[in-house]
Amino acid sequence: DWSSDVCSLESRDRVKVQNTVVQWLTQSEVEGRTPFFDVGLDGDGQVVAVSDTGCDRDNCYFYDPDSDPDDSLNLRARKIVQYKNFEDNSDYQYGHG
C-alpha cells in the first residue's frame, strides 16, 4: 500500500505567468514603463550566445520545424542559428549527462 510511504501532503498555489509584469519590471522597475520597448528594442534580429552541456532542441522555446541547426551559422533560422555539439558517449541525448 503506497499510503504507508506518504509522510505528508500540502497544497500549493497554481503557477501563474506574469509576462506583462516582467516586461516593465526588468526594463525600469516602474509599473507600465517599458523604455526599451518604447525605443524599438524588442530582441528582434538579436543573436544570443549560450554555453551549456546541451540544448533540448525539442523544447518549445527552441523547436523550429523549419531548421535543423548544426555547426554552420544560419542567421535565417528563427530560433537556433548555430549549434556546436560537445556531447560525448557518456552524455544523455542533447547533453546534460
Side-chain angles (χ1 to χ4, degrees):
D1 180 13
W2 65 268
S3 62
S4 63
D5 295 331
V6 176
C7 296
S8 67
L9 294 174
E10 65 182 65
S11 64
R12 298 188 77 177
D13 291 336
R14 188 174 204 152
V15 174
K16 184 177 170 187
V17 178
Q18 300 287 335
N19 289 342
T20 56
V21 173
V22 171
Q23 290 177 2
W24 60 261
L25 187 63
T26 58
Q27 292 185 47
S28 68
E29 296 185 12
V30 176
E31 187 171 355
R33 288 202 55 230
T34 54
F36 301 142
F37 288 175
D38 294 346
V39 296
L41 295 175
D42 61 5
D44 187 47
Q46 301 299 306
V47 176
V48 176
V50 176
S51 179
D52 197 348
T53 58
C55 177
D56 182 355
R57 292 173 284 167
D58 294 329
N59 180 290
C60 65
Y61 297 107
F62 301 117
Y63 180 72
D64 183 353
D66 299 323
S67 177
D68 187 19
D70 57 23
D71 278 352
S72 62
L73 182 63
N74 177 6
L75 293 175
R76 290 186 303 265
R78 183 170 173 265
K79 303 271 182 152
I80 300 175
V81 298
Q82 186 176 33
Y83 184 76
K84 291 192 176 276
N85 188 359
F86 292 105
E87 71 183 43
D88 59 26
N89 291 336
S90 66
D91 286 325
Y92 295 106
Q93 182 179 11
Y94 304 133
H96 298 285

